[in-house]
């Protein structure tokens, strides 16, 4: 554990608050490229991580900001500097984390269709002096899974497939062991496939480009870990196969389908499939900890399981569209958010936090840690994207959400 600065020590008392408000779920650290799996029934988490410190100057505001109705279509947000008591408290908290070397990235927080804060913190590229902003592009890691799941549901809405179908009807050269696996079991991590990013060879090759066929070949001939539908294991092989199914059914590359079917209709102009180990235009450089670049990772080695990038503003457009039927009919949205094994739906985790229904997903890869947490019954959204894989985004997100609810 890196040395704690004097500024963090001063906040030690408030640290107890975060330990009581931050859930231990999804905080298990894993190999680069595999993000926040839950253990199988035979495994237990190794322990709760150190929670992010809370500034002492973070009382609940005496009055919440004025709420606005939920919009009927995805808005076009602009960077919102804090102009409310709650926004200033959150901004101060995040700046304290940056000063302590515990966070850098971008954050957007919204309630009832109003953006309370949309801002960048720390550096997108420290060597070049480029700061993070609300428009900085971050690699999403496993937050990509919700978009891959939505693409599958779009194809179902168009009558091209059904999630109950066996996957071998959509994959060439399908192994006999996969014949009992359905698309839904890929979506819910109940297929029994081994996780290729857990293999020792992944760490050795994560910086090298790979095709979807290359990735599938890594686990195609391996035995299943359990009979399809009989267990649960969070992993990336499932979602790589979903990407291959999307390409086969749509008749175009995954990146093109995502752009045409989701990103362009929702005006998500700063979202797409990342290309190459080096950051692209407008993208943040990944760091392991403050000032220390992370090992290179080519996003093609994650493909549809974790290769997308986006901004907090684009993700807010996505969030707001999910309150409407602009992208998918209501029954298919409900299907995505219906919990299966371990409360995992289709690309989303569905649970409750302090009595509030929560639909969320994290992402973790070398250089990046991300989270979107939606509280649809309360119309609250917290989006945290960090270009530092040593940050504790789960704890930060939970605390920001708690501030939102305490302000009511």
């Amino acid at each position: 554990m890196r040395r704690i600065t004097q500024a963090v020590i001063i906040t030690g008392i408030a640290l107890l608050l975060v330990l009581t408000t931050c859930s231990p779920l999804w905080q298990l650290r894993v190999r680069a490229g595999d993000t926040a799996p839950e253990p199988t029934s035979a495994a237990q988490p190794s322990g709760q991580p150190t929670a992010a410190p809370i500034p002492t100057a973070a009382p609940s505001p005496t009055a919440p900001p004025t709420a606005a109705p939920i919009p009927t279509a995805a808005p076009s947000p602009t960077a919102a500097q804090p102009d409310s008591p709650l926004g200033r408290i959150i901004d101060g908290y995040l700046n304290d984390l940056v000063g302590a070397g515990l966070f850098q990235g971008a954050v957007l927080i919204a309630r009832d269709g109003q953006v309370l804060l949309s801002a960048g913190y720390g550096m997108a590229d420290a060597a070049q002096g480029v700061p993070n902003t609300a428009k900085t592009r971050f690699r999403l890691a496993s937050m990509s899974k919700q978009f891959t799941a939505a693409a599958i549901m779009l194809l179902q809405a168009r009558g091209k497939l059904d999630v109950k179908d066996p996957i071998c009807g959509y994959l060439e050269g399908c192994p006999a062991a996969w014949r009992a696996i359905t698309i839904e079991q890929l979506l819910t991590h109940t297929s029994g496939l081994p996780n290729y990013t857990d293999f020792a060879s992944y760490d050795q090759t994560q910086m090298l480009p790979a095709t979807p066929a290359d990735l599938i070949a890594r686990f195609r001939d391996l035995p299943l870990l359990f009979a399809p539908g009989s267990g649960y294991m969070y992993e990336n092989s499932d979602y790589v196969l979903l990407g291959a199914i999307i390409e086969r059914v749509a008749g175009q590359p995954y990146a093109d389908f995502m752009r045409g079917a989701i990103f362009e209709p929702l005006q998500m102009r700063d979202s797409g499939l990342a290309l190459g180990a080096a950051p692209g235009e407008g993208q943040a450089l990944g760091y392991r900890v403050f000032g220390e670049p992370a090992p290179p990772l080519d996003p093609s080695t994650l493909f549809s399981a974790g290769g997308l990038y986006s901004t907090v503003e684009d993700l807010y457009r996505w969030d707001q569209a999910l309150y409407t039927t602009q992208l998918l009919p209501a029954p298919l949205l409900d299907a995505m958010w219906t919990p299966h094994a371990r409360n995992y739906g289709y690309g989303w985790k569905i649970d409750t936090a302090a009595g509030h229904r929560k639909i969320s997903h994290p992402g973790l890869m070398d250089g990046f840690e991300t989270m979107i947490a939606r509280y649809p019954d309360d119309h609250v959204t917290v989006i945290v994207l960090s270009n530092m894989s040593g940050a504790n985004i789960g704890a930060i997100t939970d605390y920001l959400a708690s501030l939102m609810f305490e302000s009511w």
Side-chain angles (χ1 to χ4, degrees), residues 95-96 132 137 196 236 245 260 275-276:
N95 278 308
D96 283 353
N132 282 317
R137 298 172 175 180
Y196 75 95
N236 290 306
I245 290 171
L275 301 174

Side-chain angles (χ1 to χ4, degrees), residues 311-332:
T311 69
V312 291
E313 292 188 349
D314 267 8
L315 290 170
Y316 180 60
R317 294 184 177 95
W318 162 247
D319 163 74
Q320 292 292 282
L322 293 176
Y323 284 110
T324 75
T325 56
Q326 178 182 357
L327 189 67
L328 288 169
L332 294 186

Side-chain angles (χ1 to χ4, degrees), residues 223-244:
L224 298 180
L225 302 181
F226 50 82
S230 68
Y232 169 91
M233 189 182 79
Y234 180 94
E235 41 92 355
N236 290 306
S237 301
D238 288 335
Y239 275 75
V240 165
L241 288 184
L242 288 171

Side-chain angles (χ1 to χ4, degrees), residues 71-390:
T72 56
S76 179
T78 57
Q81 296 304 317
D83 58 0
S84 66
L86 179 58
R88 288 190 290 271
I89 287 168
I90 292 171
D91 184 63
Y93 162 70
L94 293 168
N95 278 308
D96 283 353
L97 290 183
V98 174
L102 298 177
F103 174 70
Q104 62 182 15
V107 176
L108 187 146
I109 302 174
R111 180 170 63 195
D112 292 328
Q114 282 190 324
V115 176
L116 276 70
L117 181 141
S118 177
Y121 297 87
M123 305 303 292
D125 186 333
Q128 299 299 319
V130 180
N132 282 317
T133 73
K135 298 184 181 300
T136 300
R137 298 172 175 180
F138 295 82
R139 293 184 179 180
L140 297 183
S142 272
M143 271 182 62
S144 304
K145 289 180 170 65
Q146 60 200 259
F147 293 100
T148 297
I152 289 290
M153 301 310 287
L154 274 168
L155 291 171
Q156 175 161 319
R158 297 174 183 179
K160 302 294 186 179
L161 55 74
D162 189 284
V163 297
K164 303 296 184 181
D165 293 341
I167 65 173
C168 284
Y170 302 95
L171 297 171
E172 293 184 358
C174 195
W178 295 4
R179 290 175 184 168
I181 300 174
T182 65
I183 294 174
E184 183 174 65
Q185 289 165 349
L186 297 181
L187 288 165
T188 58
H189 299 298
T190 57
S191 68
L193 289 167
N195 183 25
Y196 75 95
T197 57
D198 279 343
F199 303 166
S201 59
Y202 181 78
D203 288 348
Q204 300 165 7
T205 59
Q206 69 176 24
M207 75 295 297
L208 303 175
T211 67
D214 292 336
L215 302 180
I216 294 171
R218 299 181 187 185
F219 58 88
R220 177 191 294 276
D221 298 325
L222 298 178
L224 298 180
L225 302 181
F226 50 82
S230 68
Y232 169 91
M233 189 182 79
Y234 180 94
E235 41 92 355
N236 290 306
S237 301
D238 288 335
Y239 275 75
V240 165
L241 288 184
L242 288 171
I245 290 171
I246 290 168
E247 292 194 330
R248 177 73 180 274
V249 174
Q252 61 184 142
Y254 170 82
D256 293 346
F257 183 78
M258 300 303 287
R259 181 173 60 253
I262 297 179
F263 299 143
E264 287 181 350
L266 299 186
Q267 301 180 40
M268 298 174 65
R269 299 184 180 92
D270 290 309
S271 302
L273 185 66
L275 301 174
E281 181 181 358
Q283 293 185 20
L285 179 68
Y287 292 84
R288 192 181 70 83
V289 294
F290 232 57
E292 181 183 329
L297 188 153
D298 193 300
S300 67
T301 63
L302 297 173
F303 184 43
S304 48
L308 296 178
Y309 65 83
S310 191
T311 69
V312 291
E313 292 188 349
D314 267 8
L315 290 170
Y316 180 60
R317 294 184 177 95
W318 162 247
D319 163 74
Q320 292 292 282
L322 293 176
Y323 284 110
T324 75
T325 56
Q326 178 182 357
L327 189 67
L328 288 169
L332 294 186
L333 288 171
D334 290 341
M336 289 181 64
W337 301 324
T338 298
H340 292 258
R342 302 296 178 87
N343 290 327
Y344 199 91
Y346 299 169
W348 293 91
K349 178 75 174 180
I350 302 95
D351 54 14
T352 59
H356 301 270
R357 186 164 69 104
K358 178 182 179 182
I359 300 174
S360 64
H361 209 289
L364 176 63
M365 65 194 297
D366 277 341
F368 297 87
E369 187 165 357
T370 62
M371 174 74 80
I372 182 171
R374 306 180 69 244
Y375 301 84
D377 299 336
D378 307 284
H379 302 298
V380 167
T381 302
V382 180
I383 302 167
V384 182
L385 306 179
S386 179
N387 58 324
M388 188 172 77
S389 50

